[in-house]
Amino acid sequence: MATYLEFIQQNEERDGVRFSWNVWPSSRLEATRMVVPLACILTPLKERPDLPPVQYEPVLCSRPTCKAILNPLCQVDYRAKLWACNFCFQRNQFPPAYAGISEVNQPAELMPQFSTVEYVIQRGAQSPLIFLYVVDTCLEEDDLQALKESLQMSLSLLPPDAMVGLITFGRMVQVHELSCEGISKSYVFRGTKDLTAKQIQDMLGLTKPAMPVHPAHPAQPQEHPSISSRFLQPIHKIDMNLTDLLGELQRDPWPVPQGKRPLRSTGVALSIAVGLLEGTFPNTGARIMLFVGGPPTQGPGMVVGDELKVPIRSWHDIEKDNARFMKKATKHYEMLANRAAANGHCVDIYACALDQTGLLEMKCCTNLTGGHMVMGDSFNTSLFKQTFQRIFSKDFNGNFRMAFGATLEVKTSRELKVAGAIGPCVSLNVKGPCVSENELGVGGTSQWKICGLDPTSTLGIYFEVVNQHNAPIPQGGRGAIQFVTHYQHSSTQRRIRATTIARNWADAQSQLKHIEAAFDQEAAAVLMARLGVFRAESEEGPDVLRWLDRQLIRLCQKFGQYTKEDPSSFRLSDSFSLYPQFMFHLRRSPFLQVFNNSPDESSYYRHHFARQDLTQSLIMIQPILYSYSFHGPPEPVLLDSSSILADRILLMDTFFQIVIYLGETIAQWQKAGYQDMPEYENFKHLLQAPLDDAQEILHARFPMPRYVSTEHGGSQARFLLSKVNPSQTHNNLYAWGQETGAPILTDDVSLQVFMDHLKKLAVSSAC
Amino acid sequence: MSQQGYVATPPYSQSQPGIGLSPPHYGHYGDPSHAGSPPGMMKPAGPLGAAAPGGMLPQGHLPPGPHQFGQNGAHAQGPPLQRFPGPPPGNSAAPSYAPYPPSTQSSYPSPVSTSSVAQLGTQLSAMHVNSYGSGMAPPSQGPPGPPAAAAAFQGPPRSSQPSILQPGSQVLPPPPTALNGPGASPLPPSTHRQDGLPGPAPPNAQYQPPPPPGQTLGPGYPLQQANYGPQMAGAQLSYPGGFPGGPAQMAGPPQPQKKLDPDSIPSPIQVIENDRATRGGQVYTTNTRGQIPPLVTTDCTIQDQGNASPRYIRCTTYCFPCTSDMAKQAQIPLAAIIKPFATIPSNETPLYLVNHGETGPVRCNRCKAYMCPFMQFIEGGRRYQCGFCNCVNDVPPFYFQHLDHIGRRLDHYEKPELSLGSYEYVATLDYCRKNKPPNPPAFIFMIDVSYSNIKNGLVKLICEELKTVLEKLPKEGQEETSSLRVGFITYNKVLHFFNVKSTLARPQMMVVTDVSEVFVPLLDGFLVSYQESQSVIHNLLDQIPEMFADSNENETVFAPVIRAGMEALKAADCPGKLFIFHSSLPTAEAPGKLKNRDDKKLINTDKEKILFQPQTNVYDPLAKDCVAHGCCVTLFLFPSQYVDVASLGLVPQLTGGTLYKYNNFQVHLDSQQFLNDLRNDIEKKIGFDAIMRVRTSTGFRATDFFGGIYMNNTTDVEMAAIDCDKAVTVEFKHDDKLSEDSGALIQCAVLYTTVSGQRRLRIHNLGLNCSSQLGDLYKSCETDALINFFAKSAFKAVLHQPLKVIREILVNQTAHMLACYRKNCASPSAASQLILPDSMKVLPVYMNCLLKNCVLLSKPEISTDERAYQRQLVMTMGVADSQLFFYPQLRPIHTLDVKSTTLPAAIRCSETRLSEEGIFLLANGLNMFLWLGVSSPPELIQGIFNVPSFAHVNTDMTLLPELGNPYSQTLRMIMGIIQQKRPYSMKLTIVKQREQPEMVFRQFLVEDKGLYGGSSYVDFLCCVHKEICQLLN
């Protein structure tokens, strides 16, 4: 099916979209029988160096409930200067500017290759980007120092007209006034008291003096700067000031008695940050960057008490309903996240500590606002430093790879409705004709808000075919979907990116082959995984696994070729062949398994899984393993214990970790120092090859993966051993009788066992 | 006027057997039943009536009736007095007064007394001799000379002392002592004598015009029981009508004296001068129990020989009655005014510090009294008997010492705690909070930076001053630098804390806007050593005025400011003191928010007390918290209008802080006064986080305490801090009999933290005599202390009782005390004579001053804040301060001898003592006035003001120019001396005779009738006399 693969790839490159099915079953009934829902992975701001934005505004369908954007799928009557909306079939006049339109003089948005168009909106005041640093000061001296340096460095990376603000917290929360001369001034809040937005604004003096409203003078935007000027200042004005201020930051001075955690008022600090922006720059792109070095220990949003002898909640505690603060804290952060999202502000969390920092409770802040979540051991590690630096990376045009305050709107043709989205977004609760009653992910709306996004931010969008079985679709009819993303570009421009795609309908009974062939198993795996992870947030782990298994079995039953009750007869076509394997690894992944992970880690992994694009997501589901040896060029090998051989160097990329593993023999050679001998230069090269490749990955990825270099028998080898398919374990090793690969000490089932069971169940008529 | 009395228990309400007086009205503050004249009053009328012609009866129906009778009675007896014509020249007495002849004369021109020794003689014999009566009671005082003094004081001889009495008696010392109200005989003016109008003389006199009743009484003393006012009025009226002729005969009242000669009544000046003459400049040793110290106005050197110096403790009487019956009979308050940190002149020995090692001070096992001279060692020194509870304790081994032949330990003179009245112990950890040694205290400066303070330059002034004054933080003994730490807060509607850590390049400001629940935003760097952070602090102080220069914030908060300071100290785990510079009514939304509730309509009603109570219930718990954390609050107020001192001042008062108030502060005029106060307050000796406990020997106990204190229970006097100017007045009551042998012993122990953070115990011991003779009691009284007690108890009662009732009680108790004396101690004499015990000669005048104080005077002309302010000041005053406060010093300046360094002799506070050609200086501890007569000598004017004449003098100054001439120098020196040792810097006002501001000045001429009410001394005396007569009948 090379053609489909190409098609898929081409579509992805052009539109940033990949569908689970590229030919759509034409009725609701058949669609549900396909098991894997009709859905797509959408990267709204996929980088398109070849796509210059057009400097005008889109032409909209005039029907108030539709307002679809003119696109290549629309039928155009060049003589009458009319176009028909392909979603609602409304006939629209072209605006006057399009008077010169003709078959040979088409605007870009009508050309087929411009299924994705980016418009620049010239209207409206441009507000500068806002960065509000919220910094924990309950850190070790080294950590704080490193963090201060990172922050100071970041100032030089910001656009000069960006506004910055600084809030520090420990036992108290300090909002720093940045404009003062001679004395540094800050407003201090108690870390234990929950304040309403109104109170915070009153206390910071942000409430506008009751000003007579001049209807003729809606000079709202101009007022903002004056009100907020004390706390948010253009970087070029207070660069020096802020650098000094950061330099003078001290560790939280309150003594921490033996056996206690420092009192850390993260909840209040975040609440104040949200309140500050809410009061000064609502609906303007802003980034709250929260740096924490430990769990919140007091006030609203506290996650653990300050007694060190009481450890922070574990999955075990949560299952036993033993996590005292979890619900309340989660509620607090959810409330904040929703407020921030409503105002278009995104929240980043940079959590660096050896223990958990409460990401489980705080995750919604990043998940709902499209902020980044970064987890590390210390601020004084390259992992944090480089990750943080990468936030401010620029694209080929010199613009920051970040966008703010986006709304994503989905329009569908009549046969389809949108069922939901999974990704770093919140629902805008916009009902409309194309909203499905069934929800998958965040549903019940046709619009979502994504407060912060970058070129790789990816959402899963789920659809429902609503066409009734008995309402045939005209031959050659195509279903269409339009994604419209309004956002604030990092250059502060407002932009709209519109992507319109169409796929063929097919009758599942007569044309199942077509549909089968158009299955995108990679996209399907990721979309199903997202659904599973989404469910895992609210359901018990085993239930989710059972659901996944059931879906897989049903899929195999539907698309497998087999004789009933004969497992050995089971076959899957090429377009499905990898899918069960993805599911196998997904079941073992940290996204669904909490064993051996702390709640924070699970939240962290899930956070990234819900926003990375397809390639990265696949890596997360099924890590990639490369082998380097003298037997040939580097090659990918099976993620299987049998791949662990003594004379190989392995490079594993799990997205979160890069592991370089030296096989036993290689490790011995290295210890013997052969690489330093001129006659063994080739060995030196062999050692170097995976390092170079790893560097390449490290450079490109956000967040920076944990880099692990280990060897046979090394303690860190567990990273590798826990990922590979345990085809050889202590149970079956001797049965194989050969010395290949490394046995894994586990009771987990291997892929082989998994597949055997799957076949058995698929062919069983009992299901 | 016992405290209990205010509460309404009527301990004294029943007639005392001894006196058979009608029930006094003590104890009735607040007891409505006494509002009307008590029935008891009527009774006396009966007898009187009998004595008097029946005609009297009708009068009885007149409202004032009963009193009149009293008078009449007195009058009736008057005649006999008449016999004493006269005023035998005082010459005879003169010798004894040799030292002060001039003064005597000058101040008592007429007196001289008319009292003739001879004449009096007869009478005197009957009465107690007046101490001055040279002839009479030679032993007693003065003349004999110092050495003898001590001896004289004790024992029998005493009896003679008390004498006072009647005019005649005064043989010599004439006037003062005897106040013959009875103007009768002794009265100077011969006319009077003739009339012989006894006591109530004045009233009679008034028959005619004299003191128009209305005025006299009206204001000060409404009707009702004690009011002399009304009575007098009544008397007047009735007499004429009732007995046209009769009265004259009977009472001889009629024509009587036109007026009581002011010079004939006891003069405080004279008393002060006499004491100074006899005891001034001498060494007073405290080796004897119950000896009466020199007056507070007398300078002498005090040597501690086993009893606490009177600088630390003064008592209302140095001889307690043995039984409570006696105490009730006499109604003399038994109280001690304790000033535990009193400043000791450099020529007296500072307190020794005793260290009993790890086990802490040796204390009685039962009552926990500390080792002191009252402990009796027995059994060869192995055990000792506690002088307070009589428990026999083992002497701890480390403390053992053999006894000598008289049963004294061999180390008696080596150990301060065995031989001295006052000393300090090192406190061990058991005496510390949480058993941890305390941290050095801290001072926090909290400046109101609202618009008005910025605008008038006050903030700048404070900041500038702090830079220098912080150099002089108090330090302990030999410390190189002060261990006190300092912190800074500014505020308006929100609070700004400052981080002035020495390592910072510039100070950091932290704004706390959550005033509803204020907290301390920083720990490290808020309280710092001035030396270490000097540059940052200076930087800050330079910036503060700039920082708020553009502020137009008018609203302020107050309670949160105190709470912030308290929390800061709590967080730093140290005691300390807040210096708050505040100027307006805190109206911003916050706890302790106040509104203007100054309602003049409440004045003179039962609700008047509300004006003295705090407006909200926020401040009392706040004060309690402050005390609990050793946080003392000193408040500098700069009001330009009503700021509700009663509310704002509560915390300063209860935490042992000081309240300073500068009305309509103007930087160019009032800076000096304020800065002096600030410097003085910062530098003065102070102890923090103190608990005082007063232990007594069996038979009596401390029952009530007044002062800058907070009491959580009935025995522990808690003080966030106590400084050298604060006194606590303690009232005692019997709970058993006292024995004359063992006397009454008092041990006052103050546990506190020094400025360097050491925990110490300061012990003051004082032994008093006991006697079953009332005469001994009266002999040992000290009027200055009595007034201090009366003032504090009355001012405390102001919060709960109508002022009218309080005034009545004061008058009644005064009368009662004197009547009891008259009845039991004085020799029989004509009822019309007013006989005063020698020790209480000036009680009436002082009492009148107290009654005329604006706190007790319900007059809308006086600002509510001022009254609340003065009320609060008096509550913590020591005896010397209250004496000066109630009876100001008035000194002529025009007679200045520029070559002498002694102060010109004081004169009585009365307009009649002023002269147009004179310049006078008046001081009361808060204010100082320089009064210029219209004909002041120009050379003096020139000398002082450097202007050619009276007309050129600009009164708009608060400092005299520094001129090189002797007048200027001497006057300034005099003012310096007067100011010395006074806790408040006095504001100088230049007053020109016959100009408007003179009205203010006149209020301080306390012997005259008050501007806003309050009777003159003479009138009051008559009133008291009348009361006494009534009681006696």
Side-chain angles (χ1 to χ4, degrees), chain A residues 241-261:
Chain A
N241 235 350
L242 186 53
T243 307
D244 291 350
L245 192 56
L246 287 170
E248 279 189 2
L249 270 192
Q250 300 291 318
R251 292 178 61 194
D252 193 54
W254 299 87
V256 180
Q258 193 79 32
K260 301 267 191 183
R261 294 186 176 89

Side-chain angles (χ1 to χ4, degrees), chain B residues 914-935:
Chain B
L914 305 177
S915 69
E916 284 191 3
E917 300 80 32
I919 295 179
F920 295 85
L921 184 66
L922 181 142
N924 79 335
L926 293 182
N927 294 288
M928 210 181 269
F929 293 91
L930 192 61
W931 184 89
L932 311 174
V934 284
S935 318

